[in-house]
Amino acid sequence: MNPAPTLTTAKRQGNPAAFRRLLASNAFEAVADNATRTLLPVIAVASLGAGTVEVGLLNALGLGAFLVLGLPIGALVDRLPKLPAMRAADLARAALILAIPLLFLLGSLDMWHLLVAAALLGIADVFFTSASGALVPSLVGSNELGGAYARLQRASSLASIGTPAVATAGLKVLAAPLALVLGGFGYLCSALLLPRASGHATPPAAGPRPRFWRSIAQGLSMAVGHRTMRALLLSNLLLNAAAILGNSVLAVFVISSLGFSAATFALVGTVSASGSLVASLIAPRLLGRLGIGRLKIAASLGCVPAVAALALAEILPGPALAWVAAQSFLWAFMLVLATVAGAGVIPQLCEESRLGTVMAGNRFFTLGIMPVASIAGGIAASAFGIQPVLWAWALLAGLSAVPILFSPLRSWHLGPEPRGTNA
């Protein structure tokens, strides 16, 4: 028998003031993340003469932390106070980031410093992300999870739009390592803005707490074994695989096949961030009107015409760039809607005392598929060309609706109770 939902039966009031502080903290954390992701490769290439191998390794280290350490850190977060863990992660990242311009000024900066920093930043990021995801349900009411995650996504989207422009402006007047001070400042602000207390104490687990490694196994088991969670996991796995498969060929297709410049391709990224922002603004209203299941299905299916517009850009009427921009906006828009629709599902089905572990188990699969899909996309594009990969991108995105269609999630409104029933 599947575990019964636990949080939906415990209607509670949130802590709006604490959530607003968490929202502000996450906004600055997103600014710092975006600045770091933008500037570290630039520093590696422009200041240290790194090649593609070094840059690829640098970019992979953050995701590697989620894959290698996500499960034990998720279990550890369940045993730690969430806010101190997040604050420590912010302060650690600030120290790591600010050490890079200091080493540059001393003339001691080397590539291995960036690689070590990227690895440690990835570990701290896992701590912050795991604790933040597990903290949200204690700050908002039980029926407000979808809107809360949408507001967090909105803050991230705003950072995605503005931070690259600020970082680029900084590069025009400062050496690349010195511009990285923006990231350190963002992490410090994030730490300072975190709330001092959550909405309520996390309830203890029913019965004695399992041993550390056994709790990890239980988190994986629940993420895979619970029918509703498994459907969400499979849907997100397919959608993430589609996104990374597309990213593996997108730049080559736009720059080499369609003939646009790298600067034009970078500008398309701003259009994509705009799509994310618009989606995060209207997601709460759509979630209230359509419900979790219907919104997630509609968003997954909406990804198909978005990718098709890109695949057919060369033969559709009008400028190809217009279709590339339309794809970028619509894809990001649908992806955020699908993400927000499913964000509040696991907290409604899992005890808060085990939430970090179960969410880490879910991320193990949904993030674990990403490097596999990236490698597969590159190999497939080399063997069969880019067009088949683009259509595979669209197909996988559309298939992400299928697990939801054949699960209890299809009838969820804001929780396990379908529309029209009493909570």
PDB file of all heavy atoms in Angstrom, residues 250-288:
ATOM      1  N   LEU A 250      21.674  23.033 -29.392  1.00  0.00           N
ATOM      2  CA  LEU A 250      21.029  24.314 -29.681  1.00  0.00           C
ATOM      3  C   LEU A 250      22.011  25.347 -30.221  1.00  0.00           C
ATOM      4  O   LEU A 250      21.761  25.995 -31.259  1.00  0.00           O
ATOM      5  CB  LEU A 250      20.345  24.842 -28.420  1.00  0.00           C
ATOM      6  CG  LEU A 250      19.605  26.178 -28.551  1.00  0.00           C
ATOM      7  CD1 LEU A 250      18.494  26.076 -29.586  1.00  0.00           C
ATOM      8  CD2 LEU A 250      19.039  26.605 -27.202  1.00  0.00           C
ATOM      9  N   ALA A 251      23.139  25.538 -29.535  1.00  0.00           N
ATOM     10  CA  ALA A 251      24.095  26.555 -29.964  1.00  0.00           C
ATOM     11  C   ALA A 251      24.646  26.238 -31.349  1.00  0.00           C
ATOM     12  O   ALA A 251      24.776  27.133 -32.206  1.00  0.00           O
ATOM     13  CB  ALA A 251      25.231  26.662 -28.952  1.00  0.00           C
ATOM     14  N   VAL A 252      24.956  24.979 -31.607  1.00  0.00           N
ATOM     15  CA  VAL A 252      25.490  24.587 -32.910  1.00  0.00           C
ATOM     16  C   VAL A 252      24.461  24.832 -34.000  1.00  0.00           C
ATOM     17  O   VAL A 252      24.777  25.328 -35.089  1.00  0.00           O
ATOM     18  CB  VAL A 252      25.921  23.107 -32.896  1.00  0.00           C
ATOM     19  CG1 VAL A 252      26.394  22.672 -34.278  1.00  0.00           C
ATOM     20  CG2 VAL A 252      27.021  22.887 -31.870  1.00  0.00           C
ATOM     21  N   PHE A 253      23.195  24.515 -33.706  1.00  0.00           N
ATOM     22  CA  PHE A 253      22.145  24.693 -34.707  1.00  0.00           C
ATOM     23  C   PHE A 253      21.941  26.172 -35.037  1.00  0.00           C
ATOM     24  O   PHE A 253      21.874  26.565 -36.209  1.00  0.00           O
ATOM     25  CB  PHE A 253      20.836  24.087 -34.205  1.00  0.00           C
ATOM     26  CG  PHE A 253      19.684  24.228 -35.171  1.00  0.00           C
ATOM     27  CD1 PHE A 253      19.663  23.508 -36.352  1.00  0.00           C
ATOM     28  CD2 PHE A 253      18.631  25.073 -34.892  1.00  0.00           C
ATOM     29  CE1 PHE A 253      18.602  23.634 -37.247  1.00  0.00           C
ATOM     30  CE2 PHE A 253      17.571  25.211 -35.776  1.00  0.00           C
ATOM     31  CZ  PHE A 253      17.562  24.486 -36.954  1.00  0.00           C
ATOM     32  N   VAL A 254      21.853  27.016 -33.994  1.00  0.00           N
ATOM     33  CA  VAL A 254      21.581  28.431 -34.218  1.00  0.00           C
ATOM     34  C   VAL A 254      22.770  29.135 -34.867  1.00  0.00           C
ATOM     35  O   VAL A 254      22.605  29.945 -35.793  1.00  0.00           O
ATOM     36  CB  VAL A 254      21.201  29.126 -32.889  1.00  0.00           C
ATOM     37  CG1 VAL A 254      21.083  30.638 -33.075  1.00  0.00           C
ATOM     38  CG2 VAL A 254      19.898  28.556 -32.358  1.00  0.00           C
ATOM     39  N   ILE A 255      23.985  28.820 -34.413  1.00  0.00           N
ATOM     40  CA  ILE A 255      25.169  29.531 -34.910  1.00  0.00           C
ATOM     41  C   ILE A 255      25.672  28.939 -36.232  1.00  0.00           C
ATOM     42  O   ILE A 255      25.940  29.670 -37.196  1.00  0.00           O
ATOM     43  CB  ILE A 255      26.280  29.521 -33.847  1.00  0.00           C
ATOM     44  CG1 ILE A 255      25.823  30.306 -32.608  1.00  0.00           C
ATOM     45  CG2 ILE A 255      27.574  30.104 -34.404  1.00  0.00           C
ATOM     46  CD1 ILE A 255      26.764  30.207 -31.419  1.00  0.00           C
ATOM     47  N   SER A 256      25.802  27.603 -36.288  1.00  0.00           N
ATOM     48  CA  SER A 256      26.389  26.977 -37.478  1.00  0.00           C
ATOM     49  C   SER A 256      25.358  26.710 -38.570  1.00  0.00           C
ATOM     50  O   SER A 256      25.590  27.033 -39.733  1.00  0.00           O
ATOM     51  CB  SER A 256      27.083  25.668 -37.087  1.00  0.00           C
ATOM     52  OG  SER A 256      28.130  25.911 -36.169  1.00  0.00           O
ATOM     53  N   SER A 257      24.207  26.135 -38.189  1.00  0.00           N
ATOM     54  CA  SER A 257      23.222  25.773 -39.200  1.00  0.00           C
ATOM     55  C   SER A 257      22.434  26.978 -39.699  1.00  0.00           C
ATOM     56  O   SER A 257      22.194  27.128 -40.903  1.00  0.00           O
ATOM     57  CB  SER A 257      22.260  24.713 -38.653  1.00  0.00           C
ATOM     58  OG  SER A 257      22.954  23.543 -38.286  1.00  0.00           O
ATOM     59  N   LEU A 258      22.016  27.860 -38.775  1.00  0.00           N
ATOM     60  CA  LEU A 258      21.224  29.020 -39.173  1.00  0.00           C
ATOM     61  C   LEU A 258      22.086  30.248 -39.484  1.00  0.00           C
ATOM     62  O   LEU A 258      21.597  31.215 -40.070  1.00  0.00           O
ATOM     63  CB  LEU A 258      20.207  29.365 -38.080  1.00  0.00           C
ATOM     64  CG  LEU A 258      19.165  28.283 -37.774  1.00  0.00           C
ATOM     65  CD1 LEU A 258      18.198  28.766 -36.705  1.00  0.00           C
ATOM     66  CD2 LEU A 258      18.404  27.869 -39.031  1.00  0.00           C
ATOM     67  N   GLY A 259      23.341  30.233 -39.053  1.00  0.00           N
ATOM     68  CA  GLY A 259      24.270  31.288 -39.438  1.00  0.00           C
ATOM     69  C   GLY A 259      24.213  32.553 -38.605  1.00  0.00           C
ATOM     70  O   GLY A 259      24.684  33.605 -39.045  1.00  0.00           O
ATOM     71  N   PHE A 260      23.697  32.490 -37.380  1.00  0.00           N
ATOM     72  CA  PHE A 260      23.655  33.679 -36.540  1.00  0.00           C
ATOM     73  C   PHE A 260      24.927  33.776 -35.698  1.00  0.00           C
ATOM     74  O   PHE A 260      25.609  32.784 -35.454  1.00  0.00           O
ATOM     75  CB  PHE A 260      22.423  33.661 -35.637  1.00  0.00           C
ATOM     76  CG  PHE A 260      21.127  33.738 -36.396  1.00  0.00           C
ATOM     77  CD1 PHE A 260      20.285  32.647 -36.483  1.00  0.00           C
ATOM     78  CD2 PHE A 260      20.766  34.902 -37.049  1.00  0.00           C
ATOM     79  CE1 PHE A 260      19.103  32.702 -37.197  1.00  0.00           C
ATOM     80  CE2 PHE A 260      19.582  34.981 -37.769  1.00  0.00           C
ATOM     81  CZ  PHE A 260      18.749  33.877 -37.844  1.00  0.00           C
ATOM     82  N   SER A 261      25.224  34.988 -35.239  1.00  0.00           N
ATOM     83  CA  SER A 261      26.443  35.211 -34.465  1.00  0.00           C
ATOM     84  C   SER A 261      26.279  34.718 -33.030  1.00  0.00           C
ATOM     85  O   SER A 261      25.158  34.511 -32.549  1.00  0.00           O
ATOM     86  CB  SER A 261      26.790  36.704 -34.448  1.00  0.00           C
ATOM     87  OG  SER A 261      25.813  37.428 -33.721  1.00  0.00           O
ATOM     88  N   ALA A 262      27.428  34.571 -32.350  1.00  0.00           N
ATOM     89  CA  ALA A 262      27.393  34.168 -30.940  1.00  0.00           C
ATOM     90  C   ALA A 262      26.692  35.224 -30.099  1.00  0.00           C
ATOM     91  O   ALA A 262      25.984  34.899 -29.133  1.00  0.00           O
ATOM     92  CB  ALA A 262      28.816  33.937 -30.433  1.00  0.00           C
ATOM     93  N   ALA A 263      26.874  36.511 -30.450  1.00  0.00           N
ATOM     94  CA  ALA A 263      26.206  37.586 -29.708  1.00  0.00           C
ATOM     95  C   ALA A 263      24.690  37.493 -29.857  1.00  0.00           C
ATOM     96  O   ALA A 263      23.945  37.713 -28.898  1.00  0.00           O
ATOM     97  CB  ALA A 263      26.700  38.939 -30.199  1.00  0.00           C
ATOM     98  N   THR A 264      24.240  37.164 -31.069  1.00  0.00           N
ATOM     99  CA  THR A 264      22.797  36.999 -31.290  1.00  0.00           C
ATOM    100  C   THR A 264      22.267  35.821 -30.479  1.00  0.00           C
ATOM    101  O   THR A 264      21.186  35.898 -29.883  1.00  0.00           O
ATOM    102  CB  THR A 264      22.502  36.779 -32.783  1.00  0.00           C
ATOM    103  OG1 THR A 264      22.965  37.911 -33.519  1.00  0.00           O
ATOM    104  CG2 THR A 264      21.018  36.586 -33.030  1.00  0.00           C
ATOM    105  N   PHE A 265      23.043  34.738 -30.443  1.00  0.00           N
ATOM    106  CA  PHE A 265      22.630  33.586 -29.652  1.00  0.00           C
ATOM    107  C   PHE A 265      22.539  33.945 -28.174  1.00  0.00           C
ATOM    108  O   PHE A 265      21.615  33.518 -27.473  1.00  0.00           O
ATOM    109  CB  PHE A 265      23.617  32.436 -29.852  1.00  0.00           C
ATOM    110  CG  PHE A 265      23.295  31.222 -29.030  1.00  0.00           C
ATOM    111  CD1 PHE A 265      22.213  30.412 -29.343  1.00  0.00           C
ATOM    112  CD2 PHE A 265      24.075  30.878 -27.930  1.00  0.00           C
ATOM    113  CE1 PHE A 265      21.910  29.301 -28.585  1.00  0.00           C
ATOM    114  CE2 PHE A 265      23.781  29.772 -27.165  1.00  0.00           C
ATOM    115  CZ  PHE A 265      22.691  28.978 -27.496  1.00  0.00           C
ATOM    116  N   ALA A 266      23.483  34.745 -27.675  1.00  0.00           N
ATOM    117  CA  ALA A 266      23.432  35.174 -26.268  1.00  0.00           C
ATOM    118  C   ALA A 266      22.198  36.025 -26.017  1.00  0.00           C
ATOM    119  O   ALA A 266      21.566  35.930 -24.959  1.00  0.00           O
ATOM    120  CB  ALA A 266      24.693  35.948 -25.916  1.00  0.00           C
ATOM    121  N   LEU A 267      21.820  36.842 -26.996  1.00  0.00           N
ATOM    122  CA  LEU A 267      20.627  37.677 -26.846  1.00  0.00           C
ATOM    123  C   LEU A 267      19.372  36.824 -26.737  1.00  0.00           C
ATOM    124  O   LEU A 267      18.435  37.169 -26.006  1.00  0.00           O
ATOM    125  CB  LEU A 267      20.510  38.630 -28.034  1.00  0.00           C
ATOM    126  CG  LEU A 267      19.352  39.634 -28.004  1.00  0.00           C
ATOM    127  CD1 LEU A 267      19.484  40.558 -26.799  1.00  0.00           C
ATOM    128  CD2 LEU A 267      19.327  40.439 -29.297  1.00  0.00           C
ATOM    129  N   VAL A 268      19.365  35.696 -27.439  1.00  0.00           N
ATOM    130  CA  VAL A 268      18.224  34.780 -27.359  1.00  0.00           C
ATOM    131  C   VAL A 268      18.056  34.263 -25.935  1.00  0.00           C
ATOM    132  O   VAL A 268      16.941  33.998 -25.479  1.00  0.00           O
ATOM    133  CB  VAL A 268      18.402  33.615 -28.357  1.00  0.00           C
ATOM    134  CG1 VAL A 268      17.377  32.516 -28.124  1.00  0.00           C
ATOM    135  CG2 VAL A 268      18.289  34.138 -29.791  1.00  0.00           C
ATOM    136  N   GLY A 269      19.177  34.160 -25.205  1.00  0.00           N
ATOM    137  CA  GLY A 269      19.091  33.737 -23.811  1.00  0.00           C
ATOM    138  C   GLY A 269      18.286  34.698 -22.963  1.00  0.00           C
ATOM    139  O   GLY A 269      17.585  34.290 -22.028  1.00  0.00           O
ATOM    140  N   THR A 270      18.351  35.978 -23.275  1.00  0.00           N
ATOM    141  CA  THR A 270      17.548  36.968 -22.563  1.00  0.00           C
ATOM    142  C   THR A 270      16.069  36.782 -22.870  1.00  0.00           C
ATOM    143  O   THR A 270      15.215  36.939 -21.987  1.00  0.00           O
ATOM    144  CB  THR A 270      17.993  38.392 -22.947  1.00  0.00           C
ATOM    145  OG1 THR A 270      19.380  38.547 -22.632  1.00  0.00           O
ATOM    146  CG2 THR A 270      17.192  39.437 -22.204  1.00  0.00           C
ATOM    147  N   VAL A 271      15.760  36.446 -24.115  1.00  0.00           N
ATOM    148  CA  VAL A 271      14.371  36.154 -24.482  1.00  0.00           C
ATOM    149  C   VAL A 271      13.866  34.953 -23.684  1.00  0.00           C
ATOM    150  O   VAL A 271      12.731  34.935 -23.197  1.00  0.00           O
ATOM    151  CB  VAL A 271      14.250  35.897 -25.995  1.00  0.00           C
ATOM    152  CG1 VAL A 271      12.828  35.513 -26.372  1.00  0.00           C
ATOM    153  CG2 VAL A 271      14.693  37.122 -26.785  1.00  0.00           C
ATOM    154  N   SER A 272      14.712  33.942 -23.548  1.00  0.00           N
ATOM    155  CA  SER A 272      14.346  32.757 -22.767  1.00  0.00           C
ATOM    156  C   SER A 272      14.064  33.117 -21.315  1.00  0.00           C
ATOM    157  O   SER A 272      13.066  32.673 -20.723  1.00  0.00           O
ATOM    158  CB  SER A 272      15.475  31.722 -22.847  1.00  0.00           C
ATOM    159  OG  SER A 272      15.214  30.615 -22.023  1.00  0.00           O
ATOM    160  N   ALA A 273      14.943  33.944 -20.724  1.00  0.00           N
ATOM    161  CA  ALA A 273      14.730  34.370 -19.332  1.00  0.00           C
ATOM    162  C   ALA A 273      13.428  35.154 -19.196  1.00  0.00           C
ATOM    163  O   ALA A 273      12.739  35.056 -18.176  1.00  0.00           O
ATOM    164  CB  ALA A 273      15.910  35.202 -18.851  1.00  0.00           C
ATOM    165  N   SER A 274      13.070  35.919 -20.230  1.00  0.00           N
ATOM    166  CA  SER A 274      11.804  36.652 -20.201  1.00  0.00           C
ATOM    167  C   SER A 274      10.615  35.696 -20.190  1.00  0.00           C
ATOM    168  O   SER A 274       9.626  35.937 -19.493  1.00  0.00           O
ATOM    169  CB  SER A 274      11.714  37.586 -21.415  1.00  0.00           C
ATOM    170  OG  SER A 274      12.768  38.520 -21.416  1.00  0.00           O
ATOM    171  N   GLY A 275      10.711  34.622 -20.960  1.00  0.00           N
ATOM    172  CA  GLY A 275       9.651  33.615 -20.938  1.00  0.00           C
ATOM    173  C   GLY A 275       9.493  32.994 -19.567  1.00  0.00           C
ATOM    174  O   GLY A 275       8.372  32.768 -19.093  1.00  0.00           O
ATOM    175  N   SER A 276      10.618  32.735 -18.902  1.00  0.00           N
ATOM    176  CA  SER A 276      10.564  32.190 -17.544  1.00  0.00           C
ATOM    177  C   SER A 276       9.893  33.164 -16.584  1.00  0.00           C
ATOM    178  O   SER A 276       9.086  32.765 -15.728  1.00  0.00           O
ATOM    179  CB  SER A 276      11.987  31.879 -17.052  1.00  0.00           C
ATOM    180  OG  SER A 276      12.613  30.917 -17.860  1.00  0.00           O
ATOM    181  N   LEU A 277      10.224  34.437 -16.728  1.00  0.00           N
ATOM    182  CA  LEU A 277       9.655  35.442 -15.835  1.00  0.00           C
ATOM    183  C   LEU A 277       8.144  35.555 -16.023  1.00  0.00           C
ATOM    184  O   LEU A 277       7.390  35.572 -15.041  1.00  0.00           O
ATOM    185  CB  LEU A 277      10.318  36.798 -16.085  1.00  0.00           C
ATOM    186  CG  LEU A 277       9.756  37.976 -15.296  1.00  0.00           C
ATOM    187  CD1 LEU A 277       9.906  37.740 -13.801  1.00  0.00           C
ATOM    188  CD2 LEU A 277      10.447  39.271 -15.710  1.00  0.00           C
ATOM    189  N   VAL A 278       7.688  35.650 -17.267  1.00  0.00           N
ATOM    190  CA  VAL A 278       6.249  35.762 -17.527  1.00  0.00           C
ATOM    191  C   VAL A 278       5.515  34.543 -16.977  1.00  0.00           C
ATOM    192  O   VAL A 278       4.451  34.667 -16.351  1.00  0.00           O
ATOM    193  CB  VAL A 278       5.983  35.930 -19.038  1.00  0.00           C
ATOM    194  CG1 VAL A 278       4.490  35.882 -19.326  1.00  0.00           C
ATOM    195  CG2 VAL A 278       6.568  37.246 -19.536  1.00  0.00           C
ATOM    196  N   ALA A 279       6.078  33.359 -17.179  1.00  0.00           N
ATOM    197  CA  ALA A 279       5.443  32.144 -16.671  1.00  0.00           C
ATOM    198  C   ALA A 279       5.346  32.164 -15.152  1.00  0.00           C
ATOM    199  O   ALA A 279       4.322  31.781 -14.574  1.00  0.00           O
ATOM    200  CB  ALA A 279       6.221  30.919 -17.134  1.00  0.00           C
ATOM    201  N   SER A 280       6.405  32.618 -14.484  1.00  0.00           N
ATOM    202  CA  SER A 280       6.377  32.648 -13.020  1.00  0.00           C
ATOM    203  C   SER A 280       5.356  33.657 -12.502  1.00  0.00           C
ATOM    204  O   SER A 280       4.821  33.497 -11.402  1.00  0.00           O
ATOM    205  CB  SER A 280       7.774  32.980 -12.477  1.00  0.00           C
ATOM    206  OG  SER A 280       8.171  34.288 -12.812  1.00  0.00           O
ATOM    207  N   LEU A 281       5.078  34.710 -13.287  1.00  0.00           N
ATOM    208  CA  LEU A 281       4.092  35.701 -12.878  1.00  0.00           C
ATOM    209  C   LEU A 281       2.669  35.168 -12.950  1.00  0.00           C
ATOM    210  O   LEU A 281       1.838  35.465 -12.091  1.00  0.00           O
ATOM    211  CB  LEU A 281       4.218  36.958 -13.744  1.00  0.00           C
ATOM    212  CG  LEU A 281       5.459  37.834 -13.519  1.00  0.00           C
ATOM    213  CD1 LEU A 281       5.566  38.884 -14.609  1.00  0.00           C
ATOM    214  CD2 LEU A 281       5.398  38.489 -12.148  1.00  0.00           C
ATOM    215  N   ILE A 282       2.369  34.375 -13.976  1.00  0.00           N
ATOM    216  CA  ILE A 282       0.995  33.912 -14.166  1.00  0.00           C
ATOM    217  C   ILE A 282       0.770  32.491 -13.659  1.00  0.00           C
ATOM    218  O   ILE A 282      -0.368  32.032 -13.598  1.00  0.00           O
ATOM    219  CB  ILE A 282       0.567  33.996 -15.642  1.00  0.00           C
ATOM    220  CG1 ILE A 282       1.331  32.970 -16.493  1.00  0.00           C
ATOM    221  CG2 ILE A 282       0.779  35.391 -16.193  1.00  0.00           C
ATOM    222  CD1 ILE A 282       0.810  32.886 -17.907  1.00  0.00           C
ATOM    223  N   ALA A 283       1.854  31.801 -13.259  1.00  0.00           N
ATOM    224  CA  ALA A 283       1.713  30.414 -12.817  1.00  0.00           C
ATOM    225  C   ALA A 283       0.746  30.251 -11.639  1.00  0.00           C
ATOM    226  O   ALA A 283      -0.078  29.328 -11.653  1.00  0.00           O
ATOM    227  CB  ALA A 283       3.079  29.823 -12.471  1.00  0.00           C
ATOM    228  N   PRO A 284       0.794  31.106 -10.591  1.00  0.00           N
ATOM    229  CA  PRO A 284      -0.154  30.901  -9.485  1.00  0.00           C
ATOM    230  C   PRO A 284      -1.611  30.966  -9.922  1.00  0.00           C
ATOM    231  O   PRO A 284      -2.443  30.170  -9.468  1.00  0.00           O
ATOM    232  CB  PRO A 284       0.207  32.032  -8.511  1.00  0.00           C
ATOM    233  CG  PRO A 284       1.627  32.361  -8.809  1.00  0.00           C
ATOM    234  CD  PRO A 284       1.762  32.178 -10.284  1.00  0.00           C
ATOM    235  N   ARG A 285      -1.923  31.910 -10.816  1.00  0.00           N
ATOM    236  CA  ARG A 285      -3.306  32.020 -11.276  1.00  0.00           C
ATOM    237  C   ARG A 285      -3.709  30.794 -12.106  1.00  0.00           C
ATOM    238  O   ARG A 285      -4.805  30.244 -11.943  1.00  0.00           O
ATOM    239  CB  ARG A 285      -3.483  33.289 -12.102  1.00  0.00           C
ATOM    240  CG  ARG A 285      -4.891  33.498 -12.623  1.00  0.00           C
ATOM    241  CD  ARG A 285      -5.055  34.850 -13.288  1.00  0.00           C
ATOM    242  NE  ARG A 285      -4.848  35.929 -12.325  1.00  0.00           N
ATOM    243  CZ  ARG A 285      -4.942  37.220 -12.635  1.00  0.00           C
ATOM    244  NH1 ARG A 285      -5.213  37.591 -13.884  1.00  0.00           N
ATOM    245  NH2 ARG A 285      -4.768  38.135 -11.705  1.00  0.00           N
ATOM    246  N   LEU A 286      -2.823  30.353 -12.987  1.00  0.00           N
ATOM    247  CA  LEU A 286      -3.122  29.163 -13.788  1.00  0.00           C
ATOM    248  C   LEU A 286      -3.230  27.924 -12.904  1.00  0.00           C
ATOM    249  O   LEU A 286      -4.066  27.048 -13.145  1.00  0.00           O
ATOM    250  CB  LEU A 286      -2.040  28.961 -14.850  1.00  0.00           C
ATOM    251  CG  LEU A 286      -2.023  29.945 -16.011  1.00  0.00           C
ATOM    252  CD1 LEU A 286      -0.842  29.653 -16.935  1.00  0.00           C
ATOM    253  CD2 LEU A 286      -3.337  29.868 -16.788  1.00  0.00           C
ATOM    254  N   LEU A 287      -2.380  27.860 -11.896  1.00  0.00           N
ATOM    255  CA  LEU A 287      -2.425  26.718 -10.983  1.00  0.00           C
ATOM    256  C   LEU A 287      -3.749  26.679 -10.241  1.00  0.00           C
ATOM    257  O   LEU A 287      -4.354  25.607 -10.069  1.00  0.00           O
ATOM    258  CB  LEU A 287      -1.256  26.816 -10.001  1.00  0.00           C
ATOM    259  CG  LEU A 287      -0.923  25.582  -9.157  1.00  0.00           C
ATOM    260  CD1 LEU A 287      -0.587  24.405 -10.050  1.00  0.00           C
ATOM    261  CD2 LEU A 287       0.258  25.891  -8.239  1.00  0.00           C
ATOM    262  N   GLY A 288      -4.240  27.841  -9.800  1.00  0.00           N
ATOM    263  CA  GLY A 288      -5.521  27.892  -9.111  1.00  0.00           C
ATOM    264  C   GLY A 288      -6.686  27.543 -10.024  1.00  0.00           C
ATOM    265  O   GLY A 288      -7.675  26.956  -9.586  1.00  0.00           O
TER     266      GLY A 288
END
